[in-house]
């Protein structure tokens, strides 16, 4: 066993390969400028797991993210995060915190969206609430990709289910629960009429 592995435990690649083996996902090797990523399928949707780094000059921060583009026919968007986390970003969203009718869940999370009725419908799904609560830290949202920088190369009406967290996730069980959260949320959005089952034809 190498000294680095003794100090830091298994590498990201080892854990993510385990995730692939247990879920049927694929590891895609990156090029010179991009690191490796994981691509998993759920129905017609592709769920992509990777990391990215933001440099602030003297320091750099690495984030783990999971993304899944999908066709959003009614433009429903939401964001949910634990209270006390991402508060500055949350304030910039310009949307009011919504209570969805589950006191413990409402107390633990800030929930925002552009349709209160649909928010209540989405989070009435007990499994979605359980999977969100299982994440020690979470920023889980729908990115509106119509127009602007983030929408470059995306067809009209395609948005992105999006998760991010600071650091690198090296816990295979946490990754599996996160993938299940994406799968369950996409299915629920589809049942609500807020997602289509067809492939959005987008490559991340």
């Amino acid at each position: 066993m190498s000294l680095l592995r003794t100090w830091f435990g298994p590498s990201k690649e080892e854990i993510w390969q385990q995730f692939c083996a247990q879920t049927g996902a694929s590891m895609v090797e990156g090029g010179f400028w991009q690191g490796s990523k994981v691509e998993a399928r759920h129905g017609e949707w592709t769920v992509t797991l990777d990391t990215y780094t933001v440099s602030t000059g003297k320091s750099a921060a690495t984030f783990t993210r999971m993304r899944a583009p999908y066709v959003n026919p009614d433009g429903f968007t939401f964001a949910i995060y634990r209270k006390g986390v991402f508060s500055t970003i949350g304030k910039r969203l310009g949307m009011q915190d919504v209570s969805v009718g589950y006191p413990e869940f409402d107390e633990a999370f800030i929930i925002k969206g552009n349709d209160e009725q649909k928010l209540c419908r989405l989070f009435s799904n007990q499994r979605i609430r359980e999977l969100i609560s299982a994440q020690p830290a979470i920023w889980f949202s729908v990115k509106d990709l119509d127009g602007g920088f983030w929408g470059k190369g995306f067809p009209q009406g395609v948005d992105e289910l999006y998760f991010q967290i600071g650091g690198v996730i090296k816990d295979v069980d946490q990754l599996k629960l996160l993938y299940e959260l994406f799968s369950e949320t996409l299915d629920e959005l589809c049942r609500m009429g807020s997602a289509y089952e067809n492939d959005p034809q987008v490559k991340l």
Side-chain angles (χ1 to χ4, degrees), residues 17-30:
Q17 286 284 10
Q18 290 179 32
F19 171 75
C20 289
Q22 294 179 29
T23 61
S26 301
M27 181 74 81
V28 180
E29 296 300 325

Side-chain angles (χ1 to χ4, degrees), residues 139-200:
W139 172 271
F140 186 47
S141 67
V142 172
K143 274 192 173 181
D144 183 354
L145 297 176
D146 289 345
F149 176 80
W150 296 110
K152 288 181 179 179
F154 284 76
Q156 186 73 17
V158 173
D159 289 339
E160 185 178 66
L161 196 61
Y162 185 88
F163 164 92
Q164 75 171 33
I165 186 175
V168 179
I169 298 179
K170 293 197 294 183
D171 182 321
V172 69
D173 291 328
Q174 184 181 354
L175 291 172
K176 286 163 63 179
L177 289 172
L178 184 57
Y179 173 56
E180 185 182 347
L181 172 60
F182 267 66
S183 301
E184 187 64 36
T185 302
L186 287 166
D187 287 343
E188 186 62 38
L189 289 172
C190 199
R191 289 189 287 266
M192 292 165 52
S194 295
Y196 287 159
E197 293 184 33
N198 56 298
D199 187 341

Side-chain angles (χ1 to χ4, degrees), residues 78-82 105 109-112 123 132 138-141:
F78 70 86
I80 181 169
Y81 51 97
R82 288 190 181 275
F105 191 74
F109 295 96
I110 299 291
I111 304 167
K112 297 175 180 286
F123 294 112
I132 288 173
I138 189 167
W139 172 271
F140 186 47
S141 67

Side-chain angles (χ1 to χ4, degrees), residues 3-142:
L3 186 59
L4 285 176
R5 199 179 193 282
T6 301
W7 285 348
F8 300 109
S11 68
K12 181 192 82 172
E13 284 70 23
E14 287 179 88
I15 297 300
W16 287 21
Q17 286 284 10
Q18 290 179 32
F19 171 75
C20 289
Q22 294 179 29
T23 61
S26 301
M27 181 74 81
V28 180
E29 296 300 325
F32 182 77
W33 295 107
Q34 292 183 323
S36 58
K37 63 183 179 181
V38 170
E39 291 185 348
R41 298 287 293 182
H42 178 68
E44 291 295 312
W45 299 296
T46 299
V47 181
T48 300
L49 168 69
D50 64 2
T51 60
Y52 71 99
T53 300
V54 176
S55 176
T56 58
K58 293 184 178 180
S59 62
T62 299
F63 296 85
T64 299
R65 66 183 172 183
M66 188 173 279
R67 299 170 288 161
Y70 68 97
V71 179
N72 185 349
D74 61 5
F76 172 58
T77 61
F78 70 86
I80 181 169
Y81 51 97
R82 288 190 181 275
K83 288 187 177 179
V85 180
F86 298 112
S87 56
T88 303
I89 298 174
K91 289 177 182 177
R92 292 204 298 264
L93 290 175
M95 292 182 287
Q96 184 177 357
D97 182 24
V98 174
S99 295
V100 295
Y102 301 90
E104 289 187 7
F105 191 74
D106 288 326
E107 180 62 29
F109 295 96
I110 299 291
I111 304 167
K112 297 175 180 286
N114 61 357
D115 187 318
E116 186 170 343
Q117 185 176 0
K118 283 184 175 289
L119 281 174
C120 292
R121 166 78 185 272
L122 176 65
F123 294 112
S124 69
N125 184 313
Q126 180 179 346
R127 187 55 182 159
I128 289 177
R129 298 197 311 274
E130 291 172 347
L131 291 165
I132 288 173
S133 298
Q135 294 295 325
I138 189 167
W139 172 271
F140 186 47
S141 67
V142 172

